[in-house]
Amino acid sequence: MKQPLIDGDGKAFQSCVETQIWCLTDPETYGLANEAHAEFVGLPKEELAYKPLLARNSAEAKVWSDGNHVVFTNKQTLRTEEWVTNARGEKRLLDITKTPLLDLDGNVDTVVCCAHDITDRARSETSLRDSQSLVLGFVEDIPDVVAVQRPDHTIERYNEAGYQLLERRPEEVIGKKCYELIGRSHECEECVTRLALQNKRLECSEKYVPEIGLFLDCSSKPILDDDGHVVKVVQQIRDITGRKTMENALRESEDRFQSVLDVIPDLISIHTPAMDIVYSNWNGFGAVGEDKQVLETKCYRTYRGLDDICPDCRATGVLQTKEPFKGEAELPDGRWVDLRVIPLKDQNENVKLIVDCVRDITERKQAEQEAAFLSYHDGLTELYNRRFFDEELQRLDVSRNLPLTLLMLDVNGLKLTNDAFGHRVGDE
């Protein structure tokens, strides 16, 4: 029998527990084998020595035989990964290295084979690749820009949204500094990546980039190694131009609305059903001191200094009827107001806010009362005048008041005075 270059009792093979090692004396015949390989094939190693190769099925046998013939023929080391069935019928992936040992004549005397079971590693790698593919697929599908940067701001990759935003191909982006891609020669003043590198935590900010005419919401997350050093930065960028445009338009509209309300002399006040003020222009009836111009306070306490709901409060009635109120009211202090109370309802017809529009009409009411007085009284003597006499006579000249006595008095010399000096002097 041909003896291999490696001889002896195989103690070198026996000492290696995890790595399978066996020798081939020719493409189809074992030499020595260690315990690990013998356990894998399910035979004592003594029964393997110098016996024909074992294979669980013809397909595996052909693969092994073909590989062995290649090594014996080419006299070069061959490394392969092969799925092989073990003694328990399990498919295992082996990383196999077959190294030829040559005799003095340069012929292959023995081939030493080593096999590492990489099944678990391969499955982990496959799972990792699947997870990476899933993540990458998700990243590619989201509308936000996702970028991977090095600590020096060099771009390693963008997702598809990033290339679309910049209107560039990957080869035009990868390897460039992020700020170079928008035409700058240095990093942005408000750079969140710089803050993430400094603080080693997630940093976010909103900014306007004039070079591309967009408002961006940027966040940078540092990736740390085991020593706490930043090795990568993942940046997420969201185009918020539409939202910012709407916010600015809303802010301008609110400013215009506030400017209008500020010049209205009437009180415009909005409060909750619990009477907490949520808005006031602090004019007119609501012109209280600055120390009292505080929102989320009770309207009755702020405007009228009361500890409970005003006894003449119209809002309580509006809360019950859910209908607007319009009317005039005289306050206990003698002032008159024109009051409008308007309920604001939600989609379920529940009152969520109440708008009070209060106009001070005290001067108008006083003028109306004075005009009413003068229409029935003499301006000089404040006695009832002819109009009052005529209306009273008409009111009294009814059958239920009969008999009725009418007295007419004259003042001596009054006609002469009126004729000589005028009615004004006669009145005096």
Side-chain angles (χ1 to χ4, degrees), residues 228-402:
H229 301 129
V230 179
V231 292
K232 304 284 183 186
V233 176
V234 177
Q235 187 174 48
Q236 182 177 1
I237 303 172
R238 176 171 296 175
D239 183 354
I240 57 172
T241 306
R243 191 195 82 194
K244 280 293 186 180
T245 301
M246 293 180 62
E247 288 178 354
N248 291 337
L250 179 60
R251 189 178 300 109
E252 292 175 1
S253 177
E254 289 177 344
D255 290 342
R256 288 193 297 268
F257 179 67
Q258 185 62 54
S259 298
V260 171
L261 293 181
D262 286 342
V263 299
I264 294 177
D266 305 333
L267 168 64
I268 307 295
S269 179
I270 304 175
H271 58 80
T272 67
M275 307 302 169
D276 295 313
I277 302 172
V278 295
Y279 172 81
S280 177
N281 64 349
W282 308 113
N283 289 339
F285 186 76
V288 297
E290 290 188 3
D291 59 322
K292 293 185 177 180
Q293 295 181 9
V294 180
L295 300 180
E296 304 300 331
T297 57
K298 301 297 182 182
C299 57
Y300 50 81
R301 183 174 296 116
T302 299
Y303 297 135
R304 300 180 67 175
L306 302 178
D307 293 328
D308 203 351
I309 294 177
C310 306
D312 51 0
C313 178
R314 300 298 183 179
T316 54
V318 170
L319 285 172
Q320 294 176 356
T321 65
K322 300 181 182 180
E323 296 295 331
F325 169 84
K326 177 182 177 181
E328 296 178 353
E330 183 179 13
L331 303 181
D333 60 5
R335 287 183 296 170
W336 281 84
V337 293
D338 180 276
L339 180 62
R340 316 287 176 94
V341 184
I342 305 168
L344 300 180
K345 307 173 188 177
D346 60 20
Q347 60 184 3
N348 297 320
E349 290 297 307
N350 296 316
V351 178
K352 60 178 183 178
L353 292 172
I354 296 175
V355 180
D356 287 340
C357 302
V358 185
R359 174 173 293 179
D360 189 334
I361 59 173
T362 303
E363 292 184 1
R364 193 195 81 193
K365 295 297 287 188
Q366 290 175 345
E368 290 176 353
Q369 291 171 355
E370 183 177 356
F373 180 84
L374 292 176
S375 67
Y376 292 101
H377 295 77
D378 179 74
L380 177 65
T381 63
E382 296 187 353
L383 297 175
Y384 288 115
N385 59 14
R386 177 63 179 268
R387 179 181 180 186
F388 178 81
F389 172 77
D390 291 340
E391 291 186 4
E392 280 294 295
L393 182 59
Q394 183 177 4
R395 184 178 66 84
L396 294 173
D397 189 14
V398 292
S399 59
R400 69 173 180 272
N401 290 329
L402 297 178

Side-chain angles (χ1 to χ4, degrees), residues 219-234:
S219 60
S220 290
K221 171 69 175 178
I223 306 301
L224 310 181
D225 61 16
D226 294 338
D227 297 323
H229 301 129
V230 179
V231 292
K232 304 284 183 186
V233 176
V234 177

Side-chain angles (χ1 to χ4, degrees), residues 89-331:
E90 301 169 339
K91 284 280 191 178
R92 308 297 294 180
L93 182 62
L94 302 182
D95 180 3
I96 303 174
T97 301
K98 299 178 180 180
T99 304
L101 301 181
L102 307 182
D103 59 18
L104 297 178
D105 298 326
N107 298 316
V108 176
D109 184 86
T110 302
V111 172
V112 178
C113 304
C114 299
H116 300 276
D117 190 332
I118 60 171
T119 308
D120 294 338
R121 189 191 75 188
R123 287 172 178 167
S124 297
E125 291 174 350
T126 300
S127 177
L128 179 60
R129 282 194 299 270
D130 291 343
S131 298
Q132 290 175 335
S133 298
L134 181 63
V135 172
L136 289 175
F138 171 76
V139 169
E140 290 297 333
D141 290 339
I142 64 175
D144 294 350
V145 175
V146 178
V148 179
Q149 302 180 12
R150 299 173 192 161
D152 64 353
H153 301 281
T154 299
I155 298 296
E156 289 194 353
R157 67 159 295 156
Y158 276 115
N159 65 345
E160 184 61 29
Y163 300 124
Q164 291 179 359
L165 178 70
L166 297 170
E167 297 182 345
R168 300 196 185 194
R169 298 187 302 274
E171 57 269 22
E172 297 176 303
V173 171
I174 297 174
K176 298 288 185 64
K177 308 290 186 185
C178 56
Y179 51 82
E180 293 176 343
L181 297 173
I182 58 174
R184 298 185 182 182
S185 59
H186 52 81
E187 66 182 43
C188 305
E189 182 177 351
E190 62 279 21
C191 178
V192 291
T193 296
R194 181 182 66 249
L195 294 175
L197 290 169
Q198 292 173 351
N199 301 325
K200 296 183 179 180
R201 67 185 183 196
L202 176 68
E203 296 288 347
C204 306
S205 76
E206 296 180 356
K207 61 182 179 181
Y208 177 70
V209 183
E211 289 85 354
I212 56 178
L214 298 175
F215 284 96
L216 302 178
D217 181 4
C218 304
S219 60
S220 290
K221 171 69 175 178
I223 306 301
L224 310 181
D225 61 16
D226 294 338
D227 297 323
H229 301 129
V230 179
V231 292
K232 304 284 183 186
V233 176
V234 177
Q235 187 174 48
Q236 182 177 1
I237 303 172
R238 176 171 296 175
D239 183 354
I240 57 172
T241 306
R243 191 195 82 194
K244 280 293 186 180
T245 301
M246 293 180 62
E247 288 178 354
N248 291 337
L250 179 60
R251 189 178 300 109
E252 292 175 1
S253 177
E254 289 177 344
D255 290 342
R256 288 193 297 268
F257 179 67
Q258 185 62 54
S259 298
V260 171
L261 293 181
D262 286 342
V263 299
I264 294 177
D266 305 333
L267 168 64
I268 307 295
S269 179
I270 304 175
H271 58 80
T272 67
M275 307 302 169
D276 295 313
I277 302 172
V278 295
Y279 172 81
S280 177
N281 64 349
W282 308 113
N283 289 339
F285 186 76
V288 297
E290 290 188 3
D291 59 322
K292 293 185 177 180
Q293 295 181 9
V294 180
L295 300 180
E296 304 300 331
T297 57
K298 301 297 182 182
C299 57
Y300 50 81
R301 183 174 296 116
T302 299
Y303 297 135
R304 300 180 67 175
L306 302 178
D307 293 328
D308 203 351
I309 294 177
C310 306
D312 51 0
C313 178
R314 300 298 183 179
T316 54
V318 170
L319 285 172
Q320 294 176 356
T321 65
K322 300 181 182 180
E323 296 295 331
F325 169 84
K326 177 182 177 181
E328 296 178 353
E330 183 179 13
L331 303 181

